[in-house]
Amino acid sequence: MLNIQPYQNPQYFLLLLLAFIPLVIGLYNGHRWRWYESLISLLFIFLIFDADKTIQGFALIGYTITQALIVKIYFHYRTNKRFNNNFWIFAVAIGLSILQLVVVKLTPLLANGKDSIIAFLGISYLTFKTVGMIIEIRDGAIKEFSFIKFLQFLLFFPTISSGPIDRYRRFIKDYDNVPDQSSYIGLIGQGVHYIFLGLLYKFILGYLFGTLWLPELEQMAMAQRHNHPFGISLALVGVMYCYSMYLFFDFAGYSLFAVGTSYLMGIKTPMNFNLPFISQNIKDFWNRWHMTLSFWFRDYVYMRFVFWALKKKLFKSRITIANLGYLLLFLLMGLWHGEYWYYIIYGLLHAGLMIGNDAWLRFKKKHQKYLPSNRFTKLSAIFLTFNIVCFSFLIFSGFLDTLWFK
């Protein structure tokens, strides 16, 4: 049997092309064949979890059914006028929805690096979708719930493994409607453009930086580590920039494939990257980098914490509350990647950078008449932000752990 990973080899794209011919014809003629979309989604999910990943496939099936039941039960509770909007019921629903992800994330730490048997590709992103759904149900933003449509939302195969992270209301709005012929032709054009741009990013630029150049630079940096304080050499600087470019082109390329494929299905999945390396400060960077993840954490972690802290008058200063929110936000983001020191330092570094950036913006606003603002200052801000971000990616890569401790 075939065992292929999303957007990784020519076989996957060939199967995608063949499977999409009837779907594109149907949408072009004003018909969304939901049964066919479900069929090809199941087919591609089966191919992902075939052969040696069968256990992961069963874990995914159990997970999606459980998550859908949790959401369905909470929706019934929240919309039933006989019940009060009890916070603890909401907390239990959130706890149950993230339980499998927490087990998966903690297992390597507690089991000497072994992965959990209930882990599967894309569990984090599906959990984020479910948690966002429960929060919006509590807020009253979601008025209707369909068990089948929620499963469609969770198992939307173009984005199942690594996002982008869509929102239920936005997804269902597209899913319930068929674009007119003119609009769909535009979506096809955009989708094909994104797929070809993804090919450039992932298979050419990502290959150059990640496969050809990065291993050579890492070997050079390891060979030179005893000749320089803390192993800091020109080769290590090369690793920093090369890894940063690889990380961007590989992940952005994958995201472009997912978005382009979604467009061909008449679903406008949100973009994940928007020229992040021209950011003028760190906040601007997080508004451009892995946007669906950063916006998810902003909306469902940072803003919720700040609102709660202000309501409870945890501190008198709004600035203090905002700063604590940054620490919570980026510490969680770091821990989500893993329980290693470099992920935690990466998160805390970005929290510190956000706190410092806000302090600078307040200072700049107060003294703007004394501070120049021109093309040179903007380019300098871009240059500084780019290098700080690349340094943080060097930490994130874990290479310093190998360089210093292995």
Side-chain angles (χ1 to χ4, degrees):
M1 296 294 293
L2 286 172
N3 176 232
I4 55 179
Q5 295 303 299
Y7 316 114
Q8 295 292 332
N9 52 47
Q11 294 95 319
Y12 187 89
F13 286 96
L14 179 60
L15 286 173
L16 200 64
L17 174 63
L18 294 174
F20 269 39
I21 292 174
L23 188 149
V24 170
I25 292 173
L27 286 170
Y28 180 80
N29 289 285
H31 303 290
R32 181 182 291 282
W33 296 324
R34 291 179 175 83
W35 65 270
Y36 183 75
E37 290 184 6
S38 300
L39 181 64
I40 62 172
S41 288
L42 291 173
L43 170 64
F44 278 92
I45 291 170
F46 172 78
L47 291 173
I48 293 172
F49 296 108
D50 185 26
D52 60 331
K53 294 183 173 60
T54 302
I55 294 177
Q56 289 190 26
F58 285 119
L60 171 63
I61 293 169
Y63 168 90
T64 51
I65 293 174
T66 302
Q67 296 294 80
L69 287 173
I70 291 169
V71 174
K72 180 178 176 62
I73 293 169
Y74 184 72
F75 179 82
H76 176 72
Y77 162 80
R78 181 65 181 85
T79 54
N80 194 316
K81 294 181 179 179
R82 293 181 298 171
F83 301 121
N84 295 320
N85 187 14
N86 191 299
F87 171 79
W88 293 110
I89 300 297
F90 165 72
V92 168
I94 292 292
L96 290 174
S97 69
I98 67 173
L99 179 61
Q100 186 167 333
L101 176 62
V102 172
V103 172
V104 167
K105 290 294 184 179
L106 291 180
T107 297
L109 183 65
L110 302 175
N112 297 320
K114 294 182 180 179
D115 291 330
S116 170
I117 61 171
I118 58 172
F120 60 85
L121 187 68
I123 184 173
S124 293
Y125 297 97
L126 299 190
T127 303
F128 293 151
K129 287 182 176 183
T130 302
V131 171
M133 182 79 171
I134 294 172
I135 291 173
E136 292 194 356
I137 290 173
R138 174 177 167 81
D139 291 345
I142 294 176
K143 308 293 185 183
E144 298 179 355
F145 174 76
S146 165
F147 189 87
I148 299 300
K149 287 182 180 179
F150 183 65
L151 289 178
Q152 291 278 6
F153 170 63
L154 282 183
L155 298 177
F156 185 58
F157 83 91
T159 63
I160 194 171
S161 57
S162 295
I165 305 167
D166 209 346
R167 308 286 176 98
Y168 179 78
R169 284 184 294 160
R170 200 223 61 78
F171 175 85
I172 291 301
K173 184 179 178 181
D174 284 353
Y175 184 75
D176 282 345
N177 294 283
V178 178
D180 59 64
Q181 196 170 86
S182 177
S183 298
Y184 185 58
I185 291 173
L187 286 177
I188 291 175
Q190 286 180 292
V192 171
H193 169 74
Y194 289 147
I195 289 171
F196 275 94
L197 187 60
L199 291 171
L200 171 65
Y201 276 21
K202 185 171 180 64
F203 293 115
I204 297 179
L205 296 175
Y207 175 79
L208 288 174
F209 284 107
T211 303
L212 291 186
W213 299 335
L214 183 58
E216 293 291 331
L217 288 167
E218 287 178 339
Q219 288 183 8
M220 291 172 61
M222 291 295 291
Q224 298 173 13
R225 61 179 172 171
H226 299 301
N227 301 327
H228 304 276
F230 303 105
I232 299 173
S233 62
L234 286 177
L236 182 61
V237 175
V239 169
M240 180 181 79
Y241 289 123
C242 198
Y243 177 79
S244 298
M245 294 301 102
Y246 162 70
L247 184 65
F248 169 69
F249 286 119
D250 184 75
F251 197 7
Y254 176 93
S255 296
L256 285 167
F257 291 143
V259 171
T261 304
S262 301
Y263 275 37
L264 295 179
M265 298 179 72
I267 304 292
K268 296 180 182 178
T269 293
M271 294 293 288
N272 230 2
F273 295 89
N274 180 25
L275 304 175
F277 292 137
I278 65 167
S279 305
Q280 295 187 37
N281 57 56
I282 200 66
K283 183 173 287 188
D284 185 26
F285 170 78
W286 279 109
N287 286 329
R288 295 169 175 273
W289 177 273
H290 204 344
M291 295 184 291
T292 60
L293 178 69
S294 63
F295 293 166
W296 190 96
F297 272 97
R298 179 198 66 190
D299 295 344
Y300 297 130
V301 177
Y302 176 80
M303 295 301 296
R304 303 282 161 166
F305 170 80
V306 168
F307 177 78
W308 172 82
L310 288 172
K311 185 178 179 180
K312 297 295 183 180
K313 298 181 180 179
L314 198 62
F315 294 95
K316 292 182 179 180
S317 171
R318 289 175 175 265
I319 294 173
T320 300
I321 291 174
N323 291 345
L324 285 174
Y326 286 137
L327 286 169
L328 173 65
L329 169 67
F330 285 101
L331 182 58
L332 283 176
M333 287 184 69
L335 287 171
W336 168 65
H337 285 100
E339 298 80 24
Y340 300 102
W341 70 265
Y342 41 86
Y343 292 138
I344 296 171
I345 295 298
Y346 168 82
L348 292 175
L349 172 60
H350 275 274
L353 291 171
M354 291 290 282
I355 293 169
N357 181 73
D358 278 4
W360 164 249
L361 291 178
R362 291 193 297 271
F363 177 85
K364 186 178 178 182
K365 184 177 181 180
K366 188 179 294 186
H367 302 87
Q368 58 184 345
K369 64 179 180 179
Y370 303 110
L371 297 172
S373 179
N374 50 47
R375 187 178 181 183
F376 175 76
T377 58
K378 290 179 180 179
L379 289 174
S380 298
I382 292 172
F383 177 78
L384 179 62
T385 303
F386 171 74
N387 281 279
I388 289 174
V389 166
C390 288
F391 174 69
S392 75
F393 285 159
L394 176 64
I395 296 173
F396 176 84
S397 71
F399 181 69
L400 293 179
D401 186 58
T402 303
L403 186 72
W404 292 342
F405 305 117
K406 301 292 176 66

